[in-house]
Amino acid sequence: MEVSLCKATLDDAAKLHEIQVKAFMPLLKKYQDYETNPANESLEKVITRFNQPFTDYYLIKNLEVTIGGIRVIKMDNESYRVSPIFI
């Protein structure tokens, strides 16, 4: 297995949204947390986050195939937050 991270571009938003929905759908069905579960987020919301100056998305790849994603949020000069990460 060869896993790598590549910085995503806005062109990757639809693919990341598709994988995010698939990854979180079992939890959405189980807990029905429609307000907070990433499977219930729209593509437009993901695109809005892509355009935030303090947010970066990364593609998680295995042998050049995108298998997941990660959003990294810069909180201040010294701290970052990951939300969400999905495979």
Side-chain angles (χ1 to χ4, degrees):
M1 179 178 273
E2 184 178 315
V3 177
S4 61
L5 293 178
C6 302
K7 190 168 182 184
T9 67
L10 191 55
D11 291 337
D12 299 311
K15 180 66 174 175
L16 284 171
H17 178 257
E18 176 187 341
I19 297 169
Q20 175 179 299
V21 169
K22 286 180 184 177
F24 286 100
M25 188 57 70
L27 293 173
L28 180 61
K29 288 179 180 178
K30 182 175 182 177
Y31 297 109
Q32 300 180 8
D33 53 340
Y34 297 102
E35 297 297 318
T36 59
N37 189 296
N40 205 38
E41 290 181 354
S42 67
L43 174 58
E44 290 75 23
K45 188 167 185 176
V46 172
I47 290 171
T48 298
R49 287 185 177 145
F50 253 96
N51 291 321
Q52 294 172 329
F54 51 86
T55 293
D56 288 313
Y57 275 90
Y58 293 86
L59 305 171
I60 301 171
K61 294 189 171 198
N62 179 35
L63 299 173
E64 298 303 315
V65 175
T66 301
I67 60 168
I70 183 171
R71 177 179 175 228
V72 178
I73 306 150
K74 185 175 184 178
M75 303 301 288
D76 58 39
N77 289 338
E78 298 291 325
S79 65
Y80 293 81
R81 181 168 68 96
V82 171
S83 177
I85 184 170
F86 48 93
I87 296 178

